[in-house]
Amino acid sequence: MIDRRGFLTAGAAVSAAGILAACAKKNPAKSSSSSDKTGGGSKQITLGFSQVGSESGWRAANTQSVKEAAKAAGINLKFSDAQQKQENQISAIRSYIAQKVDVISFSPVVVTGWDTVLKEAKAAGIPVILTDRSVETSDPSLYVTLVGSDFEIEGERAAHMLEKVLAGHTGPVKIAQLEGTTGAAPAIERAKGFAKIMKASHPEWSIIASQTGDFTRAGGKQVMAAFLQAHSDIDVLFSHNDDMAIGAIQSIQAAGKTPGKDIKIVSVDGVHDGFVAMSKGQINGIVECNPLLGPQLMDAVKTVHAGKGSTLPRWIKTQETDYTADQAAAALPSRKY
Ligand code: GYE
């Protein structure tokens, strides 16, 4: 029995090998050109990828990275944008199952509600790799690995960033929080990590307002305007991404306050426009969340397709850094997204 986390039986592996051998005999020229493409000596891999949407600069960079990395790896990519709707992702995954793609990958918009469709993929023998965001499932065999960031650690890093930003400040600190999409892993875990450090070390900090801005600029702008109406005493904005912070900056200015001074801002991502706002002093610190997951994802796809999924770690994490406003201008030209 081949251990591919239950995705492939020995019989299926043997018959797949048989088909490949037959193809190679029938058409050696074709087989060698496709082996050049994949670099793996087998037929071209088809990957069905369901993206969350196009809600942010992070997402745009992530989409580009996935497309470019698939091309570079010689992987045939079927791509669909779910416009932040879980039902669209579920239909995309079902359509990839019907098309019999080799591997399915998706960035789940929210954490819950995936078991049924993941079981369908498993029953069809198609391995699933999660990217960017995680799911909650009672059956760990429903996906092979997750390629993405540790969002709880990002929340902790955001709290430590705020400690730096507030250095020298004494007295109570009133914080407004712009949350990401409700039910999404980065929204849940960034809030959790931040709250953990706050609870452990900062009795003087309090979150006086917290609401979702859905990771979009328009959402950040609208929710921050409402926060400012309800609270005249906000000292800090913790935004779960740069785009919402950029939207919020407009509302802070419209309320006659100076972003970065009257209201200190810490956000997550590190996209180009976030760095521009930080170099103007409007954002005080950014916790980087790397969207360039394409190359690691394609490596994982090849490994899984080669039947070696069980050799992969359950979570393939990404490398990230933190930036304060004084580092922004110097870092901007070398930013890749
Ligand atoms: O921080 C945000 C995007 O899931 C890490 O989604 C991603 C988040 C990212 O919309 O900008």
Side-chain angles (χ1 to χ4, degrees), residues 199-217:
K199 200 171 165 218
S201 323
H202 296 287
E204 77 284 13
W205 295 5
S206 58
I207 296 182
I208 59 166
S210 187
Q211 214 180 292
T212 180
D214 213 12
F215 278 131
T216 65
R217 284 189 195 201

Side-chain angles (χ1 to χ4, degrees), residues 5 17 28 43 48 52 66 81 89 133 138-139 142 147 160 173 189 203 213 219 235 250 263 268-269 280 305 307:
R5 305 210 174 179
K43 78 170 178 62
V52 170
V66 168
D81 175 335
Q89 288 202 294
R133 301 182 181 178
S138 51
D139 180 355
L142 293 179
V147 180
H160 292 309
V173 177
E189 287 159 25
D235 300 307
Q250 295 176 35
I263 297 181
V268 188
D269 274 358
K280 292 185 198 157
H305 186 252

Side-chain angles (χ1 to χ4, degrees), residues 147-150 154 290 292-293 296 315-320:
V147 180
S149 303
D150 187 329
E154 288 176 351
N290 188 355
L292 307 181
L293 304 176
Q296 281 170 301
W315 190 354
I316 301 169
K317 294 192 190 180
T318 31
Q319 289 292 320
E320 296 163 345

Side-chain angles (χ1 to χ4, degrees), residues 223-240:
V223 175
M224 190 68 199
F227 284 170
L228 289 161
Q229 287 246 317
H231 307 272
S232 56
D233 52 352
I234 298 170
D235 300 307
V236 167
L237 169 65
F238 168 40
S239 176
H240 288 187

Side-chain angles (χ1 to χ4, degrees), residues 55-56 58-59 132-133 151 186 190 215 240-241 269 289:
E55 73 283 2
S56 65
W58 191 99
R59 192 63 55 198
D132 165 28
R133 301 182 181 178
F151 302 132
R190 286 173 186 164
F215 278 131
H240 288 187
N241 80 343
D269 274 358
C289 176

Side-chain angles (χ1 to χ4, degrees), residues 54-61 84 178-180 190 213-224 237-251 265-275 277 283 286-287 289 291 337:
S54 26
E55 73 283 2
S56 65
W58 191 99
R59 192 63 55 198
Q84 301 231 75
L178 277 170
E179 302 162 25
R190 286 173 186 164
D214 213 12
F215 278 131
T216 65
R217 284 189 195 201
K221 185 176 174 190
Q222 193 190 329
V223 175
M224 190 68 199
L237 169 65
F238 168 40
S239 176
H240 288 187
N241 80 343
D242 292 342
D243 283 85
M244 292 190 294
I246 291 163
I249 285 169
Q250 295 176 35
S251 294
I265 304 181
V266 170
S267 72
V268 188
D269 274 358
V271 295
H272 177 268
D273 290 357
F275 263 78
I283 294 180
I286 292 181
V287 166
C289 176
Y337 55 92

Side-chain angles (χ1 to χ4, degrees), residues 2 4 8-26 31 41-43 102 305-307:
I2 290 171
R4 201 162 153 190
L8 191 63
T9 63
V14 167
S15 64
I19 291 164
L20 284 178
C23 288
K25 265 188 216 153
K26 247 169 115 185
S31 150
S42 57
K43 78 170 178 62
D102 298 304
H305 186 252

